[in-house]
Amino acid sequence: MSTADFAARSPFVHEGIRKVVRDITPSQIREVAHLGMGRDNVVPLWFGEPDQPTPEFIRKAAMDALAAGDTFYQPNAGIAPLREALAGYMNGLYGTGLAPDNVIVTVSGLNAIMVTLQSVLGAGDHLVTTSPIWPNIVAIPQVLGASVSTVPLQADTSGGWQLDVQSLFDACTRATKVILLNTPNNPTGWMMPAEDQAKLVEFAHARGIWIVADEVYARLVYNGQNFAPSFVPFMREDSRIMVINSFSKAWAMTGWRLGWITAPAAATGELEKLMEFNVSCPAGFVQQAGIVALRDGEEFVASSRDRYARSRKVLVERLSAMPRVMLPEAEAAFYAFFRIDGVSDTLGFAKQLLLSEGVGLAPGEAFGPEGAGFIRACYAVSEDRIHQAMDGLERFLAKN
């Protein structure tokens, strides 16, 4: 249901809601998905989630915890064993010396972004990010009363997506409190190189600006590396850096709603208070599943990445063979973000494609003005599903 539909029920009630909330556009990705949910023979590539359930060994850990009665309130910052496991996990990846006090466990990566921004951003403040970008990243600071400036990622068919780091610096003003980067990026798959991260850390430190890095796709890279360049190694106890992560993507745990924040210890105490005011705490049995995912999940992470790489190869080959399609190269996440010549209204296109051929894609407009004309497809699915979706897209383009 659209905002206008809700407003028509009672203008008096609707106008009592804060204007900044009323002005936020409802999710266009959900708009397409809701049109297709419940229909037969739909290939849903609209959301960013795998088509396989969470591995059995992770589910069993949660079931065992439930059977043992783990149904009570937990510490706001997360249980100590999970915070220890997360610190150890990141130290193993990045060669850092993080302690459990550097970790706050959250109810999803999205909750982590909200809590992080609540801690450093208020009405009248300014946030800078890139675009195209996951729409929630722009909406959350707006809900908090802050303004947002977006710096465009540039696309070309040979070099993929690029960011001019100087343009990121130029977008900052005296009111800028946060530079928020989603790297690897949803929807483009762009990754900020480590040398650019170093330049940004130096710039932000000199200006007293927080860097908030959303790194939920950090393990999904296809350049032969085990993880993407991260801001975690740049973190010091006197640095204004906070890194967001999640169990959703790498461990196929989207519905579990479990994430974490890595931050200087001087910040985590304040974040712990905000967890109390937002959600109190993550569920204990879910946290137990997180411990097992970290302990025993590396083989699954690697096999999932290999599976997505195979589906990615099929999707790139199929899209590249379509004469009207422009597909910039991407080395991370699990999305193809492509343009179709002659298609400007991608929301209308996605709806028509869904109703005609049963193929569910996400419209580029959902990811900001710089996403206009692009379409996103999630390839964290089987190769058969990719072929089925591309067959439908080819039929639709032949008719339109």
Side-chain angles (χ1 to χ4, degrees):
M1 184 177 290
S2 70
T3 299
D5 293 330
F6 282 113
R9 291 181 173 182
S10 174
F12 174 75
V13 171
H14 188 254
E15 290 170 7
I17 302 297
R18 293 171 60 213
K19 184 176 185 302
V20 67
V21 177
R22 288 187 278 125
D23 288 346
I24 292 173
T25 302
S27 170
Q28 294 181 339
I29 304 169
R30 287 278 179 180
E31 189 173 339
V32 175
H34 290 163
L35 184 64
M37 286 178 176
R39 293 177 179 269
D40 294 331
N41 301 318
V42 170
V43 184
L45 307 182
W46 40 50
F47 293 147
E49 66 178 350
D51 65 345
Q52 291 184 318
T54 306
E56 192 274 338
F57 70 91
I58 298 176
R59 287 181 279 140
K60 184 177 184 301
M63 290 187 286
D64 288 347
L66 278 171
D70 191 355
T71 59
F72 297 95
Y73 287 133
Q74 303 296 332
N76 297 135
I79 59 176
L82 180 53
R83 296 175 76 189
E84 292 168 3
L86 285 165
Y89 164 77
M90 289 182 289
N91 291 338
L93 282 184
Y94 305 121
T96 47
L98 298 169
D101 283 349
N102 293 119
V103 179
I104 296 288
V105 184
T106 61
V107 183
S108 78
L110 180 57
N111 172 227
I113 295 172
M114 174 62 85
V115 168
T116 297
L117 292 185
Q118 284 176 333
S119 72
V120 297
L121 203 62
D125 290 337
H126 180 237
L127 177 145
V128 175
T129 189
T130 60
S131 184
I133 196 74
W134 185 43
N136 300 40
I137 283 177
V138 174
I140 288 172
Q142 292 173 339
V143 168
L144 298 175
S147 61
V148 179
S149 294
T150 56
V151 176
L153 298 170
Q154 303 294 337
D156 62 69
T157 53
S158 58
W161 295 89
Q162 308 291 333
L163 172 69
D164 175 15
V165 179
Q166 184 60 49
S167 65
L168 200 67
F169 301 162
D170 293 343
C172 295
T173 70
R174 290 183 178 181
T176 304
K177 295 292 181 65
V178 177
I179 296 173
L180 196 160
L181 293 174
N182 171 218
T183 171
N185 176 259
N186 171 15
T188 66
W190 164 79
M191 291 188 292
M192 176 172 269
E195 55 268 27
D196 286 348
Q197 291 179 330
K199 293 176 185 177
L200 178 57
V201 169
E202 182 180 2
F203 170 83
H205 185 77
R207 296 281 293 268
I209 296 171
W210 280 92
I211 294 173
V212 175
D214 174 1
E215 298 184 358
V216 302
Y217 297 96
R219 302 302 306 278
L220 301 178
V221 294
Y222 309 100
N223 58 3
Q225 300 299 311
N226 194 32
F227 51 86
S230 172
F231 281 93
V232 171
F234 294 98
M235 189 176 298
R236 305 289 183 270
E237 285 305 322
D238 63 347
S239 62
R240 292 186 175 183
I241 298 174
M242 290 191 271
V243 178
I244 308 300
N245 218 310
S246 170
F247 286 83
S248 290
K249 312 301 181 180
W251 293 274
M253 295 175 67
T254 54
W256 295 72
R257 317 315 294 139
L258 187 64
W260 74 92
I261 304 166
T262 309
T268 54
E270 308 306 320
L271 297 172
E272 185 175 357
K273 290 189 293 188
L274 288 171
M275 283 297 295
E276 166 66 21
F277 303 145
N278 276 268
V279 292
S280 181
C281 58
F285 60 90
V286 172
Q287 295 187 69
Q288 294 294 338
I291 293 171
V292 172
L294 294 169
R295 187 189 70 200
D296 302 333
E298 279 302 302
E299 183 178 344
F300 175 77
V301 171
S303 65
S304 295
R305 186 169 54 229
D306 290 344
R307 179 175 183 257
Y308 304 157
R310 293 191 297 270
S311 293
R312 172 179 179 263
K313 183 175 184 291
V314 171
L315 182 58
V316 169
E317 289 174 350
R318 293 294 304 269
L319 287 173
S320 298
M322 299 182 196
R324 294 169 55 189
V325 172
M326 189 275 281
L327 175 62
E329 199 176 318
E331 291 185 332
F334 46 40
Y335 305 108
F337 200 56
F338 59 96
R339 183 190 294 274
I340 299 175
D341 185 41
V343 175
S344 56
D345 175 13
T346 59
L347 177 60
F349 179 89
K351 289 180 176 180
Q352 293 169 14
L353 174 65
L354 174 66
L355 296 176
S356 173
E357 304 296 336
V359 178
L361 303 177
E365 287 98 330
F367 303 93
E370 290 83 2
F374 283 85
I375 297 165
R376 190 191 74 175
C378 174
Y379 55 76
V381 299
S382 69
E383 295 172 62
D384 287 344
R385 279 195 166 187
I386 295 294
H387 280 299
Q388 186 180 349
M390 293 301 99
D391 289 344
L393 179 60
E394 280 189 330
R395 288 193 300 269
F396 188 74
L397 291 179
K399 295 183 291 186
N400 297 273

